[in-house]
Amino acid sequence: MLLSKGFEVEVYTCTPTGDIRGFSDRIVAHLDGFVREPDNRNVEYTTAPFTQYERLFLALIEPRQRLRKYLRSLGDFTITPGSTLALGGSDRFERSDPNNPYHSYIEQTYGTDVVTASIHINVGIPDTETLIKACRLVRVEAPLYLALSASSPFLNGKVTGFHSTRWQMFPKTPAYVPLFRNHDDFIAWTEEQLRLGTMQNVRHLWSSVRPNGDRRPYSINRLELRICDLVLDPAALLAITALLEMRLLALLSDRDFSTALDPIAPGSSPFTPEELIEITDRNESAVARSSLDAVLVHWQTGEQIAARDWIAALYESSQAIASQTGTACFLAPLQKILSQGNDAQRWLAAYSSGLSPRQIITDAIASAEQQESDLAKVLAIA
């Protein structure tokens, strides 16, 4: 049985040539389903949770079509691929809600390091202890999802040296987040962070993955993967999501509650939980720099492995579950990402061939808009 899945999609609004322009306050006032981010230059929409990938396809595209239509009513404006202020603007913060004290804290504490666009993938897991275990697995494999999604090699019109500049500069908070042993451990840790002030509120847990729910940390019912850069191509995003779900189904499918995929279970890894956090942090940094080409340390074996090869191995091991659940076709586009590269790698290849960041972003904007328009016609979205 498939799990429920939904997305939080953050996007920048911009001109067709990639200059970011802020309309979040107006978008939220005029369009249902959109919420403002602290900076006015990006805006977020959330999809309802669905188990079927076909419905997720529609849920991703329909709000963006409404957003594009509204932006055209304001002038010649659109949305851009990528997860950073690629062509400029990181020297200032443009508040969407000057009277929001939490936004004031974010601006004063982090500046524009948090003015990024990304995809958060939420997967429903109602049983709390199973959810905490799932978060442990996804935490140590989160770098692989960043490797697939990296789309931020530019900042302020320059190549940064990172495939995911967003994750390289994003202020992971608190600085150290353990692999929680159980739900009670997560509750106690969260309460302690709030008491110490390392978290301003329960939302202020900015880790690669976290338990989520309507009254966290006490009532939690879904896993939220937060590490991914923005992926506008819905087929690519659903493929990344399918890999995540296949890993979770592998973890949940063993009726004997096998410990093989639980990083802190005895015998599952040669590393202690503390060492696993250190290794995962290093893996995240390596992937932020080199994405699919990064050399990582495998949490189960301790061996070095290229991110691309690790993902390819997980893809093959997921085939049986994908076939059983009828999701193999949605998983398949991973092969294209592995062979042709993610957005960042393809954009850097274009840069090496002589194109400027502005030319690359301009082409990416047009390509994304055309792809989305074609899909909207097929899906009969007005």
Side-chain angles (χ1 to χ4, degrees):
M1 179 181 293
L2 292 174
L3 304 171
S4 64
K5 300 163 287 290
F7 302 100
E8 298 166 49
V9 185
E10 301 166 345
V11 294
Y12 292 113
T13 51
C14 67
T15 69
T17 54
D19 292 312
I20 307 299
R21 296 289 184 265
F23 301 109
S24 175
D25 51 352
R26 286 192 264 181
I27 293 166
V28 171
H30 288 87
L31 295 182
D32 291 337
F34 286 83
V35 297
R36 67 178 72 202
E37 291 291 295
D39 192 286
N40 206 36
R41 291 169 289 187
N42 54 13
V43 69
E44 177 185 304
Y45 69 91
T46 302
T47 71
F50 295 111
T51 57
Q52 298 301 316
Y53 284 82
E54 293 87 351
R55 299 189 72 181
L56 287 170
F57 219 109
L58 184 65
L60 283 168
I61 296 175
E62 190 276 334
R64 287 211 296 268
Q65 285 291 287
R66 289 192 289 116
L67 176 58
R68 290 184 186 279
K69 182 177 180 180
Y70 177 72
L71 290 172
R72 286 193 294 270
S73 76
L74 300 178
D76 194 11
F77 301 110
T78 184
I79 61 178
T80 180
S83 285
T84 50
L85 295 163
L87 302 181
S90 70
D91 59 328
R92 63 190 181 277
F93 205 103
E94 298 183 9
R95 289 283 293 276
S96 65
D97 184 359
N99 298 317
N100 187 314
Y102 183 46
H103 290 186
S104 296
Y105 172 83
I106 289 173
E107 177 185 5
Q108 294 163 9
T109 306
Y110 306 113
T112 55
D113 283 358
V114 299
V115 185
T116 63
S118 64
I119 291 282
H120 297 176
I121 306 172
N122 285 269
V123 183
I125 303 175
D127 181 76
T128 54
E129 297 305 331
T130 304
L131 170 56
I132 295 296
K133 181 166 68 170
C135 285
R136 292 196 292 263
L137 171 63
V138 177
R139 176 75 181 279
V140 296
E141 295 185 353
L144 304 179
Y145 302 100
L146 178 60
L148 288 163
S149 65
S151 64
S152 50
F154 307 130
L155 184 68
N156 294 325
K158 298 180 180 179
V159 173
T160 65
F162 294 89
H163 291 190
S164 176
T165 304
R166 164 187 164 267
W167 197 247
Q168 182 273 330
M169 69 182 187
F170 196 85
K172 275 75 78 175
T173 304
Y176 182 84
V177 180
L179 293 171
F180 301 110
R181 298 185 301 275
N182 49 48
H183 188 204
D184 287 342
D185 186 28
F186 174 57
I187 292 173
W189 180 87
T190 302
E191 291 177 338
E192 178 71 1
Q193 303 312 305
L194 294 172
R195 186 185 69 80
L196 294 173
T198 54
M199 289 171 57
Q200 295 297 300
N201 53 52
V202 295
R203 294 176 295 158
H204 196 202
L205 172 51
W206 295 347
S207 182
S208 59
V209 61
R210 69 184 183 191
N212 202 350
D214 296 332
R215 198 172 69 88
R216 56 195 174 199
Y218 311 106
S219 177
I220 53 175
N221 62 1
R222 60 189 183 271
L223 176 150
E224 181 186 2
L225 180 64
R226 300 169 50 85
I227 199 171
C228 291
D229 273 7
L230 177 63
V231 181
L232 281 187
D233 180 349
L237 176 57
L238 292 184
I240 294 169
T241 304
L243 180 65
L244 171 63
E245 182 169 17
M246 295 308 103
R247 292 298 286 164
L248 293 174
L249 290 177
L251 176 70
L252 305 179
S253 63
D254 195 315
R255 295 178 182 176
D256 297 325
F257 298 101
S258 170
T259 60
L261 294 180
D262 184 353
I264 69 171
S268 64
S269 172
F271 304 109
T272 66
E274 293 75 21
E275 289 171 336
L276 283 171
I277 293 298
E278 294 177 7
I279 289 167
T280 300
D281 286 347
R282 291 199 299 270
N283 284 349
E284 286 185 12
S285 296
V287 165
R289 181 175 292 279
S290 305
S291 68
L292 292 170
D293 295 328
V295 177
L296 311 179
V297 176
H298 199 298
W299 69 269
Q300 288 178 299
T301 66
E303 297 176 349
Q304 291 192 334
I305 184 171
R308 178 181 280 102
D309 294 337
W310 191 348
I311 294 166
L314 294 186
Y315 176 84
E316 290 303 322
S317 69
S318 298
Q319 288 301 307
I321 296 178
S323 296
Q324 293 167 8
T325 55
T327 57
C329 61
F330 294 101
L331 186 65
L334 280 187
Q335 293 179 305
K336 180 179 177 181
I337 301 174
L338 291 175
S339 62
Q340 298 183 14
N342 53 42
D343 283 344
Q345 290 174 308
R346 289 185 286 104
W347 294 347
L348 288 171
Y351 179 80
S352 296
S353 71
L355 294 183
S356 69
R358 182 172 294 278
Q359 290 172 307
I360 293 165
I361 295 299
T362 298
D363 290 346
I365 290 170
S367 177
E369 188 158 359
Q370 185 61 56
Q371 179 195 50
E372 197 172 295
S373 176
D374 293 343
L375 289 170
K377 291 176 183 177
V378 171
L379 297 171
I381 299 174

